[in-house]
Amino acid sequence: MIDRLEAILKRYNELGIELSDQNVISDIKKMTELSREHTRLGNIVEVYLKYKKVLDGIKEDKELIHDEELGDVAKEELASLEDDKERLESELEVLLLPHDVNDEKNVIVEIRGAAGGDEANIFAGDLFDMYSKYAGNQGWKIEVLNSTEGTAGGFTNIEFMIKGDSVYSKLKYESGSHRVQRVPATESQGRVHTSTATVLVMPEAEEFDFELDESEVRVDITRSSGCGGQGVNTTDSAVRLTHIPTGIIVYSQTERSQIKNKEKAFKILRTRLYDLKLKEKEEAEGAERKNKIGTGDRSEKIRTYNYPQNRITDHRIGLTLMCLDRVMDGELGMVIDALINENQKRELESNV
């Protein structure tokens, strides 16, 4: 482990020099890649330097332990440093796990009402509110890219971007089918209904992540529809893109400007194609990913939100919490942290 950490320290210092090179500064793609690597390695180096300091302290105290005057102090300090050494070693083991290159990225999230009609759409709106509040707690920004409101509230579908520090590393476990159990507002008999909404979380594809051949994209301009605010459906500003090789269709109508809608639609399309490429890569890796929690897919039931019992259950890790109200109010971190910890535990076990 020490050899690997020394190599990381060396690379970190080399990156610091490279990032001040004028040729790198003028190359946006190169600058972005190196800056991300420098930041990521910096987190490891920070802990490693603390670890080295602790090792030096242990060495000094072991030399002083038989000293008549300083022996007792050294012995006491040595016990504390040994605890620090153990803690920092555990921290470094986690930091040295294989890195997901998308962890530092922004995300595009799509939520759709699924089984349950109006209640599923209302629940999709509740999930959007939950993620919005969680994002606010993290200091992240949200931008709605496209949405279609449900007739009774919520959304039949909504696509939005979340921008901030390492968003994908926190939200990548949210993809899948989310199930709600509660008495709908439309239920006159007071019976609990079960409805579902699907969530898809994709790392934002930057232009140098995925090269999109625009000649393979059909662009259609249409009149906006639905509840989009005054004037939204009086101009031909909505944009529909069809990626001919894959058949993927994206639609954007949230802006009055056709140019802005086209920009947003291409951002969604590029991200969808990048996500498709990542899924193909994961499938090719096959068995290697079987022991991981993974990033889910729409068919996988990942979580149940039971309102009568104020209970939330994540089925992938067997986590049950009796504080659904707090989670829906933005305290999603207690679920996400448990998922991250379990995934790290599984990866550490698979590396033994």
Side-chain angles (χ1 to χ4, degrees), residues 100-118:
D100 186 335
V101 294
N102 294 304
D103 273 354
E104 287 78 27
K105 292 189 176 185
N106 300 326
V107 300
I108 289 179
V109 183
E110 179 194 87
I111 304 175
R112 286 182 180 271
D118 287 341

Side-chain angles (χ1 to χ4, degrees), residues 111-113 117-125 128 144 146-159 225-230 232 251 253-254:
I111 304 175
R112 286 182 180 271
D118 287 341
E119 172 63 8
N121 296 338
I122 292 167
F123 180 49
F128 173 67
V144 175
N146 189 43
S147 66
T148 305
E149 293 180 10
T151 53
F155 301 96
T156 59
N157 73 285
I158 181 167
E159 291 169 289
S225 60
C227 310
Q230 187 178 0
V232 73
Y251 190 74
Q253 65 168 14
T254 55

